[in-house]
Short mmCIF file of all heavy atoms in Angstrom, two decimals:
data_model
loop_
_atom_site.label_atom_id
_atom_site.label_comp_id
_atom_site.label_asym_id
_atom_site.label_seq_id
_atom_site.Cartn_x
_atom_site.Cartn_y
_atom_site.Cartn_z
N SER A 432 188.73 77.29 91.74
CA SER A 432 189.07 75.97 91.18
C SER A 432 188.20 75.58 89.99
O SER A 432 188.49 74.59 89.32
CB SER A 432 188.96 74.90 92.27
OG SER A 432 187.64 74.83 92.78
N PHE A 433 187.12 76.32 89.70
CA PHE A 433 186.16 75.87 88.69
C PHE A 433 186.81 75.69 87.32
O PHE A 433 186.61 74.68 86.66
CB PHE A 433 184.99 76.84 88.59
CG PHE A 433 183.90 76.36 87.67
CD1 PHE A 433 182.82 75.66 88.17
CD2 PHE A 433 183.96 76.56 86.29
CE1 PHE A 433 181.81 75.20 87.34
CE2 PHE A 433 182.97 76.08 85.45
CZ PHE A 433 181.89 75.40 85.98
N GLU A 434 187.56 76.69 86.89
CA GLU A 434 188.13 76.66 85.54
C GLU A 434 189.02 75.44 85.34
O GLU A 434 188.95 74.75 84.31
CB GLU A 434 188.92 77.94 85.28
CG GLU A 434 189.44 78.06 83.86
CD GLU A 434 190.16 79.38 83.63
OE1 GLU A 434 190.13 80.24 84.51
OE2 GLU A 434 190.77 79.52 82.56
N GLN A 435 189.84 75.14 86.34
CA GLN A 435 190.74 73.99 86.24
C GLN A 435 189.95 72.68 86.21
O GLN A 435 190.26 71.76 85.44
CB GLN A 435 191.71 73.98 87.42
CG GLN A 435 192.68 72.80 87.41
CD GLN A 435 193.82 72.98 88.40
OE1 GLN A 435 194.33 74.08 88.57
NE2 GLN A 435 194.19 71.89 89.07
N ILE A 436 188.92 72.58 87.03
CA ILE A 436 188.11 71.36 87.07
C ILE A 436 187.41 71.14 85.73
O ILE A 436 187.42 70.03 85.18
CB ILE A 436 187.06 71.43 88.20
CG1 ILE A 436 187.76 71.53 89.56
CG2 ILE A 436 186.14 70.22 88.16
CD1 ILE A 436 186.82 71.92 90.69
N ALA A 437 186.79 72.21 85.20
CA ALA A 437 186.06 72.08 83.93
C ALA A 437 186.98 71.59 82.82
O ALA A 437 186.58 70.77 81.98
CB ALA A 437 185.44 73.42 83.57
N LEU A 438 188.22 72.05 82.82
CA LEU A 438 189.18 71.64 81.80
C LEU A 438 189.58 70.18 81.98
O LEU A 438 189.60 69.39 81.02
CB LEU A 438 190.41 72.54 81.87
CG LEU A 438 191.51 72.27 80.85
CD1 LEU A 438 190.99 72.56 79.44
CD2 LEU A 438 192.74 73.15 81.13
N ARG A 439 189.86 69.80 83.21
CA ARG A 439 190.34 68.44 83.48
C ARG A 439 189.23 67.39 83.39
O ARG A 439 189.49 66.20 83.25
CB ARG A 439 191.00 68.39 84.87
CG ARG A 439 192.35 69.10 84.89
CD ARG A 439 192.94 69.15 86.28
NE ARG A 439 194.29 69.71 86.29
CZ ARG A 439 195.40 68.99 86.23
NH1 ARG A 439 195.34 67.68 86.21
NH2 ARG A 439 196.59 69.58 86.21
N LEU A 440 187.98 67.85 83.46
CA LEU A 440 186.85 66.92 83.35
C LEU A 440 186.63 66.42 81.93
O LEU A 440 186.05 65.34 81.72
CB LEU A 440 185.57 67.62 83.80
CG LEU A 440 185.09 67.43 85.22
CD1 LEU A 440 183.91 68.35 85.48
CD2 LEU A 440 184.70 65.98 85.44
N GLN A 441 187.05 67.20 80.95
CA GLN A 441 186.66 66.92 79.58
C GLN A 441 186.97 65.49 79.11
O GLN A 441 186.11 64.83 78.51
CB GLN A 441 187.32 67.94 78.63
CG GLN A 441 186.70 69.32 78.73
CD GLN A 441 185.19 69.28 78.54
OE1 GLN A 441 184.69 68.71 77.57
NE2 GLN A 441 184.47 69.85 79.49
N PRO A 442 188.17 64.96 79.37
CA PRO A 442 188.42 63.58 78.92
C PRO A 442 187.46 62.56 79.52
O PRO A 442 187.08 61.59 78.86
CB PRO A 442 189.87 63.34 79.38
CG PRO A 442 190.47 64.69 79.52
CD PRO A 442 189.36 65.59 79.97
N LEU A 443 187.06 62.79 80.75
CA LEU A 443 186.11 61.84 81.38
C LEU A 443 184.73 61.96 80.76
O LEU A 443 184.08 60.96 80.44
CB LEU A 443 186.03 62.10 82.89
CG LEU A 443 187.15 61.53 83.75
CD1 LEU A 443 188.39 62.43 83.67
CD2 LEU A 443 186.72 61.37 85.20
N LEU A 444 184.26 63.19 80.57
CA LEU A 444 182.92 63.38 80.03
C LEU A 444 182.83 62.84 78.60
O LEU A 444 181.79 62.33 78.20
CB LEU A 444 182.56 64.87 80.06
CG LEU A 444 182.41 65.47 81.47
CD1 LEU A 444 182.21 66.98 81.39
CD2 LEU A 444 181.25 64.82 82.22
N LEU A 445 183.92 62.95 77.85
CA LEU A 445 183.91 62.47 76.47
C LEU A 445 184.02 60.95 76.38
O LEU A 445 183.56 60.35 75.41
CB LEU A 445 185.07 63.12 75.69
CG LEU A 445 184.93 64.62 75.44
CD1 LEU A 445 186.21 65.17 74.84
CD2 LEU A 445 183.74 64.91 74.54
N GLN A 446 184.65 60.36 77.37
CA GLN A 446 184.97 58.94 77.24
C GLN A 446 183.96 58.01 77.91
O GLN A 446 183.98 56.81 77.68
CB GLN A 446 186.36 58.70 77.87
CG GLN A 446 186.95 57.35 77.48
CD GLN A 446 188.40 57.19 77.90
OE1 GLN A 446 188.87 56.09 78.04
NE2 GLN A 446 189.13 58.25 78.11
#
Side-chain angles (χ1 to χ4, degrees):
S432 61
F433 186 94
E434 186 177 352
Q435 180 168 321
I436 297 167
L438 181 65
R439 288 175 175 266
L440 264 173
Q441 287 307 308
L443 280 79
L444 294 173
L445 292 172
Q446 195 171 157

